[in-house]
Amino acid sequence: MGIATSGLHHVTAIAGNPQRNADFYLRTLGLRMVKTTVNFDDPGTYHLYYGDESGRPGTLMTFFPFHGAPPGKHGNGQATATAFSVPERSMGWWQRHLTDAGVEVGPVRSRDDEETLTFRDPDGLALSLVAHRQPDPRAPWDNGIVPPEHGIRGLHSVSLSVDDVDATAGMLTGMGLSLSEQQDNRFRFAAGDGGPGTYVDVLVRPGAERGLVAAGTVHHVAWRAPDESTQAAWRSELVESGVSVTSVLDRQYFRSVYFREPGGTLLEIATDEPGFTADEPLLELGRALKLPPWLEPSREQIEAALPRLDLPSENNPERPVS
């Protein structure tokens, strides 16, 4: 394919209790709620978007929190880990902060130019913080909980677990990524010139059990396209190469197409435009339930079906928004 992505757009996962999910990603990890909306395909379920101040592509972690959802199972055919980028010399602070919040953390591990701290969210989703010697120019969201000098800058990478590397590698290189590093059964691919927010690690585990997507697992991984025309051209190339691709779907804040890589993980191509200020101003992002125009006539029924969700005031993180 002749079109290349510039990096990760977002990662979407399944959660259980929405309040517990929001408390963890807002208060413990210090991200911003940039959009409170619903799953457009199942509007009785929230779709919660976390990111930096404006929800720029590459900083976004999103969730479908199905209250009472059974736990999923990590395994081949899915994204099995999501990593966030943090500054150098932040690991000590994060170890103390997460431990104080009751999160079980692993030891800090060093690999090449990176330090990694692993842990899980309340639903068991595998997460890590990665500090790299290469500076990450993205600004953190300053919410008064996590000091800016330690704040999350955005996504660092995702890990895909597969039986065999060849077919998955073929699709990734066709999307413009290149193999940047190999260590044992881990193959790292990077978009563009590499750096935080551009990486995918392919973990080859022949014969390992297949994963089950439910609470605590990743639903899909989205890659960036700058605009709709590029996305359309990319979709055409995928179809011509024999990949089964959805039609273009309007997600209100970006346009999406979905397909599976040969190893089984659901991937998405998402446009950078129009962004999260399409239906509310920057200063008010995430504070009110937003619905697309085709769901507005059902707002009363949708709000009645959704569980209560108390979000912290950005001026006082301990006080819920009324």
Side-chain angles (χ1 to χ4, degrees):
M1 287 180 281
I3 298 173
T5 183
S6 61
L8 292 163
H9 187 284
H10 66 269
V11 175
T12 293
I14 307 295
N17 185 297
Q19 186 65 62
R20 183 177 64 181
N21 180 263
D23 288 344
F24 181 80
Y25 285 89
L26 298 176
R27 292 186 169 95
T28 303
L29 294 191
L31 300 176
R32 185 183 191 188
M33 181 79 81
V34 294
K35 194 64 61 180
T36 305
T37 184
V38 296
N39 182 336
F40 293 174
D41 303 316
D42 179 13
T45 301
Y46 284 111
H47 191 177
L48 306 178
Y49 289 81
Y50 307 98
D52 69 355
E53 180 184 22
S54 60
R56 289 178 299 169
T59 72
L60 296 164
M61 185 84 198
T62 95
F63 286 88
F64 301 134
F66 294 94
H67 192 69
K73 181 173 61 179
H74 295 162
N76 282 4
Q78 63 180 201
T80 47
T82 304
F84 295 102
S85 173
V86 296
E88 272 196 293
R89 297 180 292 278
S90 292
M91 287 305 180
W93 186 91
W94 277 105
Q95 274 189 309
R96 293 188 297 273
H97 172 70
L98 291 171
T99 300
D100 290 346
V103 179
E104 184 176 345
V105 299
V108 175
R109 299 188 183 278
S110 297
R111 184 179 64 199
D112 299 327
D113 292 332
E114 294 179 349
E115 287 188 328
T116 302
L117 180 67
T118 60
F119 57 100
R120 293 181 184 270
D121 82 355
D123 288 293
L125 186 70
L127 301 173
S128 63
L129 301 175
V130 178
H132 196 285
R133 292 181 183 176
Q134 180 178 352
D136 189 335
R138 296 173 294 182
W141 169 239
D142 185 1
N143 68 344
I145 297 176
V146 177
E149 63 269 24
H150 299 305
I152 288 173
R153 268 45 181 174
L155 294 171
H156 176 273
S157 58
V158 295
S159 298
L160 310 184
S161 292
V162 301
D163 286 294
D164 180 77
V165 70
D166 291 340
T168 296
M171 175 165 280
L172 293 174
T173 55
M175 293 166 55
L177 285 81
S178 58
L179 180 63
S180 64
E181 178 187 341
Q182 178 186 352
Q183 188 175 68
D184 299 324
N185 69 328
R186 182 181 66 89
F187 296 76
R188 170 163 288 185
F189 294 82
D193 295 328
T198 72
Y199 296 126
V200 55
D201 289 339
V202 179
L203 307 178
V204 183
R205 308 189 311 163
E209 196 171 4
R210 301 287 289 182
L212 174 66
V213 175
T217 64
V218 170
H219 184 269
H220 65 266
V221 176
W223 295 92
R224 296 177 65 175
D227 49 45
E228 292 183 53
S229 61
T230 304
Q231 181 190 63
W234 200 347
R235 181 184 181 278
S236 295
E237 290 189 7
L238 286 166
V239 170
E240 290 170 4
S241 66
V243 178
S244 178
V245 189
T246 67
S247 59
V248 177
L249 300 175
D250 182 359
R251 298 312 193 193
Q252 191 75 353
Y253 314 108
F254 46 87
R255 306 294 180 264
S256 301
V257 297
Y258 301 87
F259 56 97
R260 290 192 183 274
E261 55 85 18
T265 305
L266 183 63
L267 301 182
E268 173 185 353
I269 299 170
T271 59
D272 287 354
E273 302 169 344
F276 291 96
T277 55
D279 59 358
E280 60 184 338
L282 179 65
L283 293 178
E284 297 177 15
L285 288 182
R287 296 174 64 84
L289 178 68
K290 308 303 291 187
L291 298 176
W294 60 91
L295 290 179
E296 274 296 345
S298 303
R299 174 175 283 274
E300 186 175 347
Q301 300 96 303
I302 290 171
E303 289 182 337
L306 292 170
R308 177 181 173 87
L309 184 62
D310 290 323
L311 301 179
S313 164
E314 291 167 0
N315 294 321
N316 182 355
E318 299 305 318
R319 180 173 63 83
V321 174
S322 57

